[in-house]
Amino acid sequence: MSAAETTTAKVPPARRDPLPGAGSGHPGKPGKKRGTGGGAAVPWALLAPCLIVLALVLGYPLVRLVTLSFQKFGQPQLWGFQAAESVGLDNFTDVLGDAEFWHVVVRTVVFAATAVVLTMVLGMVIALLLQRVSGWVKTLINIALVASWGMPIVVAITIFKWMFDSDYGVLNWLLSQLPGVDVTGHNWFIDSTQGLAVIMLLVVWGAVPFVVITLSAGLTQVPKELEEAARLDGAGSWGVFRHVTLPILKPIIVMLATLSVIWDMGVFPQVFVMRGGHPEPEYQLLTTYSYDKAFVVNDYSQGSAIALLTVLLLLGVIAVYMRQMLKIGDVE
């Protein structure tokens, strides 16, 4: 049998005959076009209810916030005695020209940055230690982490208030048992640095479980062969972590750090409830400061302007996060 005869015998005869009703010369395309058109509409149809709810729940408050920040809006406007009037950028000028606002911004940034670093370091250490314990110990620790993670924030605040109470707090009693230490009756909130440190500890305590669980899941994806190869090349534990584990976990770490920045910049109930609903000026963060301006001073315009500036600050953090993720995607 010649090569020509072999080729002719392998050609399927169905290709030479167009399918009935398939169109002129392109038997497969009409069916694909119908499937593509319908497939493009189905996701949008399924997402439409969710998008409508998001637009109502998130879109309207955001639009209202932006509108208020460009108006003069106090109690007379709230009760309808006077009409709200546009003041342009006056609210932003007043806020940005207030020295107290910049003190609050610096305090918020320092608070959030310290809390994020503590959360990430502590979460990484616990996640690495979990890889070296037995299965039942890991299970018990994971149960404790999930329990603390799922605890309502008000309950956690109440526990911390009891732990750091000046008269009945267990922490004062424990520290007083140390040789040469006597902190009986010490009030941790009389000094704002100590008080914010306690509140930061509460924030870190609530955030660490999520970081540990996520990093533990990421550590299971690190190839053991790479770690063994690094050890054979003479790398110690720190070298394996720095040159093998850390690069593989980088996308997860960037995501967790960004989420932690957003959450810690938006801390509100921890400060508000710990200070009995009236945070002192030295305890004010951006969220509580905006709340005070709006609902204590009844200057809703400046409260909205501060909240909008906080949103813009967080959008800057998100932009850095997206840039880092795109860089990681390009490298991969």
Side-chain angles (χ1 to χ4, degrees):
M1 183 178 294
S2 65
E5 289 171 342
T6 304
T7 305
T8 304
K10 287 183 178 178
V11 174
R15 281 185 173 276
R16 290 196 292 266
D17 300 326
L19 294 173
S24 57
H26 301 287
K29 289 186 177 179
K32 289 182 179 176
K33 284 182 179 178
R34 286 196 298 272
T36 303
V42 169
W44 286 106
L46 295 174
L47 285 173
C50 179
L51 293 176
I52 292 172
V53 171
L54 284 176
L56 291 176
V57 175
L58 299 179
Y60 174 75
L62 185 60
V63 171
R64 187 62 177 150
L65 178 74
V66 174
T67 305
L68 282 176
S69 64
F70 290 97
Q71 290 179 337
K72 180 183 179 183
F73 201 97
Q75 279 197 328
Q77 289 78 18
L78 179 67
W79 294 108
F81 301 140
Q82 293 180 12
E85 56 180 306
S86 176
V87 294
L89 296 174
D90 287 355
N91 291 321
F92 294 95
T93 305
D94 294 340
V95 170
L96 295 175
D98 187 2
E100 185 182 0
F101 170 75
W102 291 108
H103 290 316
V104 174
V105 170
V106 172
R107 188 181 301 121
T108 305
V109 171
V110 172
F111 179 90
T114 310
V116 169
V117 171
L118 286 177
T119 302
M120 296 303 298
V121 171
L122 194 58
M124 178 64 78
V125 170
I126 296 176
L128 290 172
L129 291 176
L130 280 178
Q131 306 301 310
R132 300 176 180 273
V133 297
S134 59
W136 68 272
V137 175
K138 187 184 298 183
T139 302
L140 288 178
I141 294 176
N142 280 327
I143 291 174
L145 289 172
V146 172
S148 64
W149 188 22
M151 184 179 294
I153 186 63
V154 176
V155 177
I157 293 172
T158 304
I159 293 174
F160 265 71
K161 288 182 74 173
W162 169 73
M163 289 174 60
F164 289 90
D165 186 80
S166 57
D167 296 325
Y168 306 103
V170 67
L171 187 70
N172 284 356
W173 177 81
L174 283 175
L175 291 177
S176 298
Q177 304 306 309
L178 298 175
V181 178
D182 184 12
V183 290
T184 305
H186 176 68
N187 187 350
W188 293 88
F189 295 96
I190 199 169
D191 178 64
S192 61
T193 304
Q194 293 182 12
L196 285 174
V198 173
I199 295 173
M200 185 186 301
L201 188 61
L202 170 62
V203 173
V204 172
W205 179 82
V208 161
F210 176 72
V211 175
V212 172
I213 293 172
T214 307
L215 287 177
S216 297
L219 285 171
T220 61
Q221 304 303 313
V222 178
K224 300 299 179 187
E225 297 80 5
L226 291 179
E227 294 181 344
E228 291 298 328
R231 288 192 181 92
L232 290 175
D233 289 340
S237 299
W238 171 248
V240 173
F241 174 76
R242 181 183 175 187
H243 298 292
V244 178
T245 307
L246 206 55
I248 294 176
L249 292 181
K250 187 176 179 181
I252 298 177
I253 293 173
V254 172
M255 178 197 70
L256 289 174
T258 306
L259 289 176
S260 297
V261 170
I262 294 173
W263 291 336
D264 293 345
M265 289 282 291
V267 163
F268 179 83
Q270 292 89 340
V271 181
F272 190 77
V273 179
M274 285 288 263
R275 300 313 303 141
H278 302 286
E280 298 85 346
E282 58 269 21
Y283 280 91
Q284 293 286 0
L285 302 180
L286 275 173
T287 49
T288 57
Y289 187 61
S290 171
Y291 175 87
D292 268 16
K293 283 289 184 182
F295 298 104
V296 177
V297 184
N298 292 320
D299 191 344
Y300 304 102
S301 303
Q302 287 209 359
S304 301
I306 295 169
L308 190 58
L309 289 171
T310 306
V311 171
L312 294 177
L313 192 60
L314 291 178
L315 286 177
V317 176
I318 295 174
V320 173
Y321 163 71
M322 295 300 296
R323 187 167 176 268
Q324 291 295 323
M325 293 304 292
L326 290 174
K327 277 185 177 180
I328 294 172
D330 291 340
V331 171
E332 291 178 349

